[in-house]
Amino acid sequence: MNEDKEVQLDDTDRKIIDLLIKDGRMSYADIGKELDLSRVAVRTRINTLIETGVIEQFTCIVDSEKVGRKVSAFFNVDCEPNSLVEVAENLANNPFVASCYQMTGPSTLHTHVLADNFNQLESFINNELYALKGITRVDSQILLRRFKSRTGFKL
Amino acid sequence: MNEDKEVQLDDTDRKIIDLLIKDGRMSYADIGKELDLSRVAVRTRINTLIETGVIEQFTCIVDSEKVGRKVSAFFNVDCEPNSLVEVAENLANNPFVASCYQMTGPSTLHTHVLADNFNQLESFINNELYALKGITRVDSQILLRRFKSRTGFKL
Amino acid sequence: MNEDKEVQLDDTDRKIIDLLIKDGRMSYADIGKELDLSRVAVRTRINTLIETGVIEQFTCIVDSEKVGRKVSAFFNVDCEPNSLVEVAENLANNPFVASCYQMTGPSTLHTHVLADNFNQLESFINNELYALKGITRVDSQILLRRFKSRTGFKL
Amino acid sequence: MNEDKEVQLDDTDRKIIDLLIKDGRMSYADIGKELDLSRVAVRTRINTLIETGVIEQFTCIVDSEKVGRKVSAFFNVDCEPNSLVEVAENLANNPFVASCYQMTGPSTLHTHVLADNFNQLESFINNELYALKGITRVDSQILLRRFKSRTGFKL
Amino acid sequence: MNEDKEVQLDDTDRKIIDLLIKDGRMSYADIGKELDLSRVAVRTRINTLIETGVIEQFTCIVDSEKVGRKVSAFFNVDCEPNSLVEVAENLANNPFVASCYQMTGPSTLHTHVLADNFNQLESFINNELYALKGITRVDSQILLRRFKSRTGFKL
Amino acid sequence: MNEDKEVQLDDTDRKIIDLLIKDGRMSYADIGKELDLSRVAVRTRINTLIETGVIEQFTCIVDSEKVGRKVSAFFNVDCEPNSLVEVAENLANNPFVASCYQMTGPSTLHTHVLADNFNQLESFINNELYALKGITRVDSQILLRRFKSRTGFKL
Amino acid sequence: MNEDKEVQLDDTDRKIIDLLIKDGRMSYADIGKELDLSRVAVRTRINTLIETGVIEQFTCIVDSEKVGRKVSAFFNVDCEPNSLVEVAENLANNPFVASCYQMTGPSTLHTHVLADNFNQLESFINNELYALKGITRVDSQILLRRFKSRTGFKL
Amino acid sequence: MNEDKEVQLDDTDRKIIDLLIKDGRMSYADIGKELDLSRVAVRTRINTLIETGVIEQFTCIVDSEKVGRKVSAFFNVDCEPNSLVEVAENLANNPFVASCYQMTGPSTLHTHVLADNFNQLESFINNELYALKGITRVDSQILLRRFKSRTGFKL
C-alpha cells in the first residue's frame, strides 16, 4: 500500500478502462462512439493512462487447456525465512510458474503452476521445485472448478 | 482436465499467441511483419483462434493501486461441504471478489479480493463475507510483494 | 487385533501363499513341482487355506488407467463423531469409492476414490460426497507417483 | 494421468475383467459358459489383456491377521523436499512397507505398514523409519475398522 | 489504515510526545526546560496534541502481579463467522478482558485476559467464555516471560 | 506467577490507581477532592505506590495512525527451541517491535510490530525479521479492528 | 494454583513421603529404623500427612497388560466450548476412562483410556465416545513406549 | 501389546487387587475378612501377584500442590525423528519430568512436568528443555482442572 501512487482519474477515464478490460482491442473510434468522444481524445487519454502506468499492459487471455496446458496447480511453498526471497526469485524464473506472491500469514510463497499433464507436474515437483535450497515443506493443490476469474487485475 | 478440449495449433499460431499476450493491441500488419505473413493471413488465424476458444478475450492489465484499489487480499473460505457451491456462487457475484476457485486439498474456496483500503476490507469481511450462510472459518492474507504475475493465463 | 484369529501355518503353507500372491492362477501341478509336493497335496492345502479364511479371495490387479479410470484420489473425510459410521457406510456403497477405513488419529475416514477424469471427480465431490450429512470438512489429494504397491494384503 | 495409455476394451473384455477380479482362478471354461464364448476365445482375450498390460497380475488376498500380521498401520512421512524421492525408495525396499505413494497436498509420503504386533511396530518406527535421513516428522495411525476394501485396483 | 487520519507534527511535537510517553506526569516547566520552550508554549502544544487526538489519554502502567492479578492469559477465540462481532462485543464488556482485537488470518478474536489466579481463570473459561454463543473453539496460553513491552502505543 | 510479589493495598490505594489509569496527569489536589483526602496524603500514597513498584510508569497513549504508524501487525515467530531467548532479545532491540512475549503453547514468540506502511512492513519482514538466525517459520497478521484496548496493564 | 493450599513440611516429613511413594506398604517400624524415629512418631506424622491431605491415598500400581488391559490409548476430545464440562463429566463416569483433564491450549479434554484389545477400543470409540453430544472432533493415539512413569503424583 | 504377557487371575485375585488399589496399606486380616479368606491365603495370593509382576509397586498419591509443586504442565515435544529416543531418555532423567511417553500420531513425546511455580517452569523450559539437541518444537499446556484421575494404572 503505497499512498502516493494513486493517479487522479475522472469518470471518462474509468469508462475507457472498463471498455478496454472487456475488449482490449476495441478501436479508438468505437470507444469514442460509445462515450461521445472524438477518436483523438480517446487516443490521448489512453496514451496518458499508459504513460502514468494505470494501464500496465494490453494482453489476451488464452484457454490454457486448449493450448495443451491441462493441469492448473497451486502451491504453498514453505521456506526457511532467510531463504524466502531467493526461493521466490528462483520460482519467478521457472517457466512452469505463472505467478508467485508473498502474503501475510505464514512465511509461505503463493505459487501458481501450469503443466501439460500430471507426469509433467510430478516431474516439476520432484526435479525442479523440491531441488531448490531453503524449501522446508510444499503443499500442492489442483484446480477443480473456476467460479470467477475476473480479468483486468492481477492478484 | 478435459482430454478432448485441446485444439491443434502450429508454430505460427503459437507465435501469434505469444505476441498478443505481450501486446494485445498489436496490429495485424505488425504481427505479419514479425512473422513474415500477410495482414489477411494474420487476421484469419486470429479469428480462428477466437472462434475455437483458444483466445478467450483481449483485455488490459490495470495497476490496481493507481486506480485506488490499494489492498489486495486473499481468503481461504472454509465451507460446510454441502454449502460450498452456494457460497462460491454468492462470492462470485460480489463486486469485491476478483476470483474464486475450488481446489483439491481442504474443502475451501480460494478467493481473491480487491479493496480500496483497510476500512473497506474490514467492512467487506464483517458485513458481507461473514454474513454468508454455510461459512465455518475464514483465513485472510494481505499481499506483501509480487515476485511474478504472468499475463495471458488464468489460474 | 483379535488375538485368537491367528491360524497355525507351516513353512510349506507360507511358500504356497507366496507363490499364489505372485501368480494367483498358478496351477496345482506347477506349485507342486516348485515345492516337491503332489498335485493333490497342493490342492488339499490350498483348500484348507481357503476354508480357514487365510486366503480370502483370488483376484487380478487391473491397471486402472488402461481401463479409463485415470484419476486416483485420496480423501480424508472429517465427520461429526456421531455420524462417522453412517457416513462410512454411505461411502462404502458408492461405486467411485474403492476403500474406506477408520483409523486412530483424527475422527476422519480414510477414503480412496477412482474416477475417469477431473470432471467426474469434481462432480463426485460436489454432488455426492459434499451432499452427505454429517461431513464437516474434506481434504482431497491426487496420486502423483506410486513407489510401492504390494499385492496380497489389504491396508 | 497419461492420456495415451488407455486401451480400447469392448463389453466382453469388461465382463471378463469383472469375473477375474471376483475370482482370479476362474477357469477359461467357466468364464466361457458365463459369457457364451468358447474356451479358446476366452483364453485369447485374457492373453491380450495381459499383453496390453490391462491385467497387471493375478494374485490372492490374504487375511493379514490370520498369518500373524496383526497391526495394520498408516504413516504420513514428512520429508525435506529434496530427500523425498530417496526416502520413498528406501521405504519401498523395506519389507514392513506394503505401499508407498506420493500425493498432491503436503510433501508427505503416504505409507502403509504391516507388523506382527506393537513391539515390532515400535521397533520398526524407532529403529528403521526414524533412522532414515531426510525425515522431518512422522504421523502414524492404526487401523480400527475396514468399511470397504475393493479388490482389483491399487490406490 | 485510514489514509486521511494523519496529523502533521513537527520535530518539537515528536520530542514532547517522546517525553510524555516516558513520563506522563512530566510538568510543562520540565518539558520546556528540556526543549528550550516556554511553559505556555508546551501547554499549548500538548493541548493541540490532545484536541487533534494524537494523544488519546494519559495513564499509568500498573504491575498487575503486585495488585494481585497474577495470571496473564492470551486467548484465540474462534467464532462462527457471522457471530464474530457479537462475541467480540460481549468479550469487550467482560471485566476480565483487557483487550480484544480482530486481525487478518483466521476468523479468530485475539483476546487478553487478566485473572487473580488459576481458579479464577478456570472459572472465567468454563462459566463466562465457554457460555458465549457462537464460539467454536478456544485456544488459551499463559504468559511465561515478557521480553519487551513498549508503552505509548496500543496493539 | 511470583507468589511473594503481591503488595498489600487498601481501598483508597485502589481508588487512586483507578483514577490515575483513567487520567495519568490528574493533580494531587483533584484526586484528594474526589477521595476526601489531603493533597499531601495523596502524594505520599502515590509515592509509596511508585516505590513499591505497583505503579511502574506514568505514560500517555498515542494514536499510532495519527503519528504516521499506520500498520499494526502481529507476528507469531516460531524459533528453534534453543534459539528462542536469543531471537527474543534481538526482537526486543528492534525499533519496529512494540512488544515481545513468550507464552505457553507452541515455542513461539508473540510479537507486535508497528510500521508506517506496507512497504516498510515488507522490508522489516524480509530484511530484518527473516534475517535473524534460529527462526523456522513466521506467521503475520494485520490489525483489522480494535474491540477493546484497556489501558493500565501490559499483556 | 491455589496459593493458600500449601502445607508446611519439615525434612522428616519429606523423607517419610519419599519412602511411602517407593513402598506404600512399608511398616511404621521399618520407616522408623530408616529415619531414626520411634514407631509411634512415624505413625503420628503419617496420620497428620493424611489428615492435612498431603497424602491423598495409598494404592498399588498394576501392570495393565498382565490383567488383560492391553491397549493404552490417549484421546484429545474437542468439544463445543459450552458442552465441555458436561462431556468431561460423562467421560469421568465411563469405566474405560482412566483420567480426564482440562488444560490450557485448545478447548480439548485430555483423556486416557484402557481397553482389553482393539475390538473393545473400536467399540468404545464408535458406540460410547462418538455417541456423546457436544463432541466435534476426536484425536486418538495408542501408547507405543513408556520412557518414564513416575509414581506418587497425578498429572 | 505383548500377547503372552497376560497372567491368569481368578475372581478373588481381582477383588484383592481392587481393594489394594483403593487402599494400598489394607492389612491381610482386613482383606481376608472382606473376602472370607484366611490371613495366610491373602498373603500368599498377594505375594504371587507381586512375583508375577501383576502388582508392580505399592505407593501413595501425594497432593502435589500441598508439597509446593503447584504447576502441573503437559508438553508435546516434537523431535527430529532420529533423535526421539535420545531426547526421551534425557527427559526421563530430568527430575521435573514425571512421565514421558511415545505414542502413535505425530513423532512427539508426551511429557508431564511438575514445577513449584511459573518462574521455575519458565526456567525449566528455557534452560533445560530448549537446550536439548534434536527438539524442533515444543507445545506446553497448564492443567486447569482434573475431572478424573484413576489410581492403580499408569497411562
PDB file of all heavy atoms in Angstrom, chain B residues 131-152:
ATOM      1  N   ALA B 131     -21.398 -12.714   6.748  1.00  0.00           N
ATOM      2  CA  ALA B 131     -22.860 -12.811   6.758  1.00  0.00           C
ATOM      3  C   ALA B 131     -23.364 -13.967   5.910  1.00  0.00           C
ATOM      4  O   ALA B 131     -24.531 -14.346   6.008  1.00  0.00           O
ATOM      5  CB  ALA B 131     -23.451 -11.500   6.260  1.00  0.00           C
ATOM      6  N   LEU B 132     -22.501 -14.554   5.078  1.00  0.00           N
ATOM      7  CA  LEU B 132     -22.938 -15.670   4.220  1.00  0.00           C
ATOM      8  C   LEU B 132     -23.195 -16.911   5.075  1.00  0.00           C
ATOM      9  O   LEU B 132     -22.417 -17.239   5.959  1.00  0.00           O
ATOM     10  CB  LEU B 132     -21.859 -15.994   3.184  1.00  0.00           C
ATOM     11  CG  LEU B 132     -21.634 -14.970   2.078  1.00  0.00           C
ATOM     12  CD1 LEU B 132     -20.505 -15.446   1.165  1.00  0.00           C
ATOM     13  CD2 LEU B 132     -22.900 -14.762   1.268  1.00  0.00           C
ATOM     14  N   LYS B 133     -24.258 -17.627   4.753  1.00  0.00           N
ATOM     15  CA  LYS B 133     -24.560 -18.893   5.430  1.00  0.00           C
ATOM     16  C   LYS B 133     -23.632 -19.998   4.935  1.00  0.00           C
ATOM     17  O   LYS B 133     -23.309 -20.052   3.750  1.00  0.00           O
ATOM     18  CB  LYS B 133     -25.999 -19.311   5.124  1.00  0.00           C
ATOM     19  CG  LYS B 133     -26.993 -18.753   6.087  1.00  0.00           C
ATOM     20  CD  LYS B 133     -28.321 -19.489   5.957  1.00  0.00           C
ATOM     21  CE  LYS B 133     -29.301 -18.995   7.016  1.00  0.00           C
ATOM     22  NZ  LYS B 133     -30.613 -19.648   6.812  1.00  0.00           N
ATOM     23  N   GLY B 134     -23.255 -20.903   5.835  1.00  0.00           N
ATOM     24  CA  GLY B 134     -22.511 -22.079   5.414  1.00  0.00           C
ATOM     25  C   GLY B 134     -21.010 -21.903   5.489  1.00  0.00           C
ATOM     26  O   GLY B 134     -20.255 -22.797   5.124  1.00  0.00           O
ATOM     27  N   ILE B 135     -20.569 -20.713   5.977  1.00  0.00           N
ATOM     28  CA  ILE B 135     -19.128 -20.476   6.153  1.00  0.00           C
ATOM     29  C   ILE B 135     -18.749 -20.861   7.586  1.00  0.00           C
ATOM     30  O   ILE B 135     -19.393 -20.432   8.533  1.00  0.00           O
ATOM     31  CB  ILE B 135     -18.790 -18.999   5.866  1.00  0.00           C
ATOM     32  CG1 ILE B 135     -18.906 -18.742   4.373  1.00  0.00           C
ATOM     33  CG2 ILE B 135     -17.415 -18.643   6.377  1.00  0.00           C
ATOM     34  CD1 ILE B 135     -18.472 -17.361   3.958  1.00  0.00           C
ATOM     35  N   THR B 136     -17.718 -21.693   7.738  1.00  0.00           N
ATOM     36  CA  THR B 136     -17.351 -22.114   9.096  1.00  0.00           C
ATOM     37  C   THR B 136     -16.091 -21.424   9.613  1.00  0.00           C
ATOM     38  O   THR B 136     -15.889 -21.312  10.805  1.00  0.00           O
ATOM     39  CB  THR B 136     -17.109 -23.638   9.159  1.00  0.00           C
ATOM     40  OG1 THR B 136     -16.139 -23.980   8.177  1.00  0.00           O
ATOM     41  CG2 THR B 136     -18.400 -24.388   8.889  1.00  0.00           C
ATOM     42  N   ARG B 137     -15.252 -20.960   8.702  1.00  0.00           N
ATOM     43  CA  ARG B 137     -13.988 -20.364   9.123  1.00  0.00           C
ATOM     44  C   ARG B 137     -13.412 -19.633   7.928  1.00  0.00           C
ATOM     45  O   ARG B 137     -13.583 -20.068   6.788  1.00  0.00           O
ATOM     46  CB  ARG B 137     -13.029 -21.485   9.558  1.00  0.00           C
ATOM     47  CG  ARG B 137     -11.825 -21.012  10.340  1.00  0.00           C
ATOM     48  CD  ARG B 137     -11.100 -22.239  10.894  1.00  0.00           C
ATOM     49  NE  ARG B 137      -9.893 -21.865  11.589  1.00  0.00           N
ATOM     50  CZ  ARG B 137      -8.699 -21.684  10.995  1.00  0.00           C
ATOM     51  NH1 ARG B 137      -8.564 -21.830   9.699  1.00  0.00           N
ATOM     52  NH2 ARG B 137      -7.651 -21.348  11.713  1.00  0.00           N
ATOM     53  N   VAL B 138     -12.747 -18.534   8.183  1.00  0.00           N
ATOM     54  CA  VAL B 138     -12.149 -17.762   7.098  1.00  0.00           C
ATOM     55  C   VAL B 138     -10.712 -17.471   7.478  1.00  0.00           C
ATOM     56  O   VAL B 138     -10.415 -17.159   8.626  1.00  0.00           O
ATOM     57  CB  VAL B 138     -12.925 -16.445   6.864  1.00  0.00           C
ATOM     58  CG1 VAL B 138     -12.206 -15.563   5.876  1.00  0.00           C
ATOM     59  CG2 VAL B 138     -14.342 -16.751   6.387  1.00  0.00           C
ATOM     60  N   ASP B 139      -9.824 -17.592   6.550  1.00  0.00           N
ATOM     61  CA  ASP B 139      -8.435 -17.202   6.777  1.00  0.00           C
ATOM     62  C   ASP B 139      -8.082 -16.159   5.728  1.00  0.00           C
ATOM     63  O   ASP B 139      -8.246 -16.396   4.533  1.00  0.00           O
ATOM     64  CB  ASP B 139      -7.520 -18.424   6.651  1.00  0.00           C
ATOM     65  CG  ASP B 139      -6.111 -18.100   7.092  1.00  0.00           C
ATOM     66  OD1 ASP B 139      -5.892 -17.957   8.300  1.00  0.00           O
ATOM     67  OD2 ASP B 139      -5.233 -17.946   6.223  1.00  0.00           O
ATOM     68  N   SER B 140      -7.626 -14.989   6.180  1.00  0.00           N
ATOM     69  CA  SER B 140      -7.341 -13.903   5.230  1.00  0.00           C
ATOM     70  C   SER B 140      -5.871 -13.531   5.268  1.00  0.00           C
ATOM     71  O   SER B 140      -5.212 -13.624   6.302  1.00  0.00           O
ATOM     72  CB  SER B 140      -8.188 -12.679   5.562  1.00  0.00           C
ATOM     73  OG  SER B 140      -7.945 -12.251   6.887  1.00  0.00           O
ATOM     74  N   GLN B 141      -5.362 -13.144   4.132  1.00  0.00           N
ATOM     75  CA  GLN B 141      -3.960 -12.745   3.998  1.00  0.00           C
ATOM     76  C   GLN B 141      -3.887 -11.520   3.084  1.00  0.00           C
ATOM     77  O   GLN B 141      -4.675 -11.395   2.155  1.00  0.00           O
ATOM     78  CB  GLN B 141      -3.161 -13.882   3.367  1.00  0.00           C
ATOM     79  CG  GLN B 141      -3.322 -15.211   4.082  1.00  0.00           C
ATOM     80  CD  GLN B 141      -2.469 -16.309   3.497  1.00  0.00           C
ATOM     81  OE1 GLN B 141      -2.156 -16.307   2.318  1.00  0.00           O
ATOM     82  NE2 GLN B 141      -2.084 -17.257   4.323  1.00  0.00           N
ATOM     83  N   ILE B 142      -2.919 -10.656   3.362  1.00  0.00           N
ATOM     84  CA  ILE B 142      -2.758  -9.435   2.578  1.00  0.00           C
ATOM     85  C   ILE B 142      -1.504  -9.577   1.712  1.00  0.00           C
ATOM     86  O   ILE B 142      -0.486 -10.069   2.191  1.00  0.00           O
ATOM     87  CB  ILE B 142      -2.606  -8.215   3.525  1.00  0.00           C
ATOM     88  CG1 ILE B 142      -3.737  -8.190   4.566  1.00  0.00           C
ATOM     89  CG2 ILE B 142      -2.536  -6.913   2.740  1.00  0.00           C
ATOM     90  CD1 ILE B 142      -5.104  -8.049   4.004  1.00  0.00           C
ATOM     91  N   LEU B 143      -1.592  -9.107   0.467  1.00  0.00           N
ATOM     92  CA  LEU B 143      -0.433  -9.184  -0.428  1.00  0.00           C
ATOM     93  C   LEU B 143       0.696  -8.299   0.096  1.00  0.00           C
ATOM     94  O   LEU B 143       0.500  -7.116   0.364  1.00  0.00           O
ATOM     95  CB  LEU B 143      -0.840  -8.712  -1.837  1.00  0.00           C
ATOM     96  CG  LEU B 143       0.275  -8.728  -2.873  1.00  0.00           C
ATOM     97  CD1 LEU B 143       0.681 -10.144  -3.213  1.00  0.00           C
ATOM     98  CD2 LEU B 143      -0.137  -7.984  -4.123  1.00  0.00           C
ATOM     99  N   LEU B 144       1.880  -8.888   0.229  1.00  0.00           N
ATOM    100  CA  LEU B 144       3.050  -8.100   0.631  1.00  0.00           C
ATOM    101  C   LEU B 144       3.917  -7.758  -0.593  1.00  0.00           C
ATOM    102  O   LEU B 144       4.407  -6.646  -0.717  1.00  0.00           O
ATOM    103  CB  LEU B 144       3.909  -8.885   1.635  1.00  0.00           C
ATOM    104  CG  LEU B 144       3.407  -8.941   3.071  1.00  0.00           C
ATOM    105  CD1 LEU B 144       4.267  -9.903   3.881  1.00  0.00           C
ATOM    106  CD2 LEU B 144       3.476  -7.554   3.715  1.00  0.00           C
ATOM    107  N   ARG B 145       4.120  -8.717  -1.476  1.00  0.00           N
ATOM    108  CA  ARG B 145       5.060  -8.491  -2.581  1.00  0.00           C
ATOM    109  C   ARG B 145       4.772  -9.453  -3.725  1.00  0.00           C
ATOM    110  O   ARG B 145       4.528 -10.629  -3.508  1.00  0.00           O
ATOM    111  CB  ARG B 145       6.479  -8.738  -2.055  1.00  0.00           C
ATOM    112  CG  ARG B 145       7.566  -8.458  -3.041  1.00  0.00           C
ATOM    113  CD  ARG B 145       8.892  -8.365  -2.305  1.00  0.00           C
ATOM    114  NE  ARG B 145      10.025  -8.453  -3.204  1.00  0.00           N
ATOM    115  CZ  ARG B 145      11.291  -8.537  -2.807  1.00  0.00           C
ATOM    116  NH1 ARG B 145      11.563  -8.543  -1.506  1.00  0.00           N
ATOM    117  NH2 ARG B 145      12.271  -8.613  -3.676  1.00  0.00           N
ATOM    118  N   ARG B 146       4.770  -8.908  -4.970  1.00  0.00           N
ATOM    119  CA  ARG B 146       4.595  -9.729  -6.168  1.00  0.00           C
ATOM    120  C   ARG B 146       5.966 -10.091  -6.710  1.00  0.00           C
ATOM    121  O   ARG B 146       6.741  -9.209  -7.071  1.00  0.00           O
ATOM    122  CB  ARG B 146       3.891  -8.931  -7.266  1.00  0.00           C
ATOM    123  CG  ARG B 146       2.397  -8.888  -7.201  1.00  0.00           C
ATOM    124  CD  ARG B 146       1.845  -8.126  -8.402  1.00  0.00           C
ATOM    125  NE  ARG B 146       0.419  -7.886  -8.204  1.00  0.00           N
ATOM    126  CZ  ARG B 146      -0.076  -6.804  -7.628  1.00  0.00           C
ATOM    127  NH1 ARG B 146       0.726  -5.845  -7.200  1.00  0.00           N
ATOM    128  NH2 ARG B 146      -1.390  -6.697  -7.470  1.00  0.00           N
ATOM    129  N   PHE B 147       6.271 -11.402  -6.830  1.00  0.00           N
ATOM    130  CA  PHE B 147       7.526 -11.805  -7.441  1.00  0.00           C
ATOM    131  C   PHE B 147       7.335 -12.126  -8.917  1.00  0.00           C
ATOM    132  O   PHE B 147       8.245 -11.961  -9.718  1.00  0.00           O
ATOM    133  CB  PHE B 147       8.112 -13.019  -6.703  1.00  0.00           C
ATOM    134  CG  PHE B 147       8.722 -12.672  -5.394  1.00  0.00           C
ATOM    135  CD1 PHE B 147       8.021 -12.806  -4.209  1.00  0.00           C
ATOM    136  CD2 PHE B 147      10.019 -12.152  -5.329  1.00  0.00           C
ATOM    137  CE1 PHE B 147       8.583 -12.472  -3.000  1.00  0.00           C
ATOM    138  CE2 PHE B 147      10.587 -11.815  -4.121  1.00  0.00           C
ATOM    139  CZ  PHE B 147       9.869 -11.970  -2.949  1.00  0.00           C
ATOM    140  N   LYS B 148       6.160 -12.607  -9.279  1.00  0.00           N
ATOM    141  CA  LYS B 148       5.879 -12.885 -10.686  1.00  0.00           C
ATOM    142  C   LYS B 148       4.371 -12.841 -10.861  1.00  0.00           C
ATOM    143  O   LYS B 148       3.623 -13.281  -9.993  1.00  0.00           O
ATOM    144  CB  LYS B 148       6.384 -14.274 -11.082  1.00  0.00           C
ATOM    145  CG  LYS B 148       6.252 -14.575 -12.576  1.00  0.00           C
ATOM    146  CD  LYS B 148       6.870 -15.922 -12.913  1.00  0.00           C
ATOM    147  CE  LYS B 148       7.060 -16.112 -14.402  1.00  0.00           C
ATOM    148  NZ  LYS B 148       7.790 -17.364 -14.672  1.00  0.00           N
ATOM    149  N   SER B 149       3.924 -12.326 -11.973  1.00  0.00           N
ATOM    150  CA  SER B 149       2.488 -12.260 -12.227  1.00  0.00           C
ATOM    151  C   SER B 149       2.337 -12.336 -13.733  1.00  0.00           C
ATOM    152  O   SER B 149       2.237 -11.326 -14.407  1.00  0.00           O
ATOM    153  CB  SER B 149       1.948 -10.943 -11.652  1.00  0.00           C
ATOM    154  OG  SER B 149       0.553 -10.938 -11.724  1.00  0.00           O
ATOM    155  N   ARG B 150       2.363 -13.563 -14.264  1.00  0.00           N
ATOM    156  CA  ARG B 150       2.375 -13.734 -15.713  1.00  0.00           C
ATOM    157  C   ARG B 150       1.002 -13.469 -16.298  1.00  0.00           C
ATOM    158  O   ARG B 150      -0.002 -13.951 -15.783  1.00  0.00           O
ATOM    159  CB  ARG B 150       2.795 -15.159 -16.060  1.00  0.00           C
ATOM    160  CG  ARG B 150       3.204 -15.259 -17.522  1.00  0.00           C
ATOM    161  CD  ARG B 150       3.876 -16.554 -17.810  1.00  0.00           C
ATOM    162  NE  ARG B 150       2.905 -17.639 -17.814  1.00  0.00           N
ATOM    163  CZ  ARG B 150       3.230 -18.904 -18.019  1.00  0.00           C
ATOM    164  NH1 ARG B 150       4.501 -19.244 -18.190  1.00  0.00           N
ATOM    165  NH2 ARG B 150       2.315 -19.821 -18.028  1.00  0.00           N
ATOM    166  N   THR B 151       0.954 -12.711 -17.357  1.00  0.00           N
ATOM    167  CA  THR B 151      -0.314 -12.437 -18.026  1.00  0.00           C
ATOM    168  C   THR B 151      -0.570 -13.529 -19.058  1.00  0.00           C
ATOM    169  O   THR B 151       0.293 -14.333 -19.379  1.00  0.00           O
ATOM    170  CB  THR B 151      -0.253 -11.066 -18.706  1.00  0.00           C
ATOM    171  OG1 THR B 151       0.959 -11.012 -19.459  1.00  0.00           O
ATOM    172  CG2 THR B 151      -0.233  -9.969 -17.680  1.00  0.00           C
ATOM    173  N   GLY B 152      -1.768 -13.565 -19.553  1.00  0.00           N
ATOM    174  CA  GLY B 152      -2.105 -14.490 -20.628  1.00  0.00           C
ATOM    175  C   GLY B 152      -2.868 -15.721 -20.173  1.00  0.00           C
ATOM    176  O   GLY B 152      -3.534 -16.366 -20.962  1.00  0.00           O
TER     177      GLY B 152
END
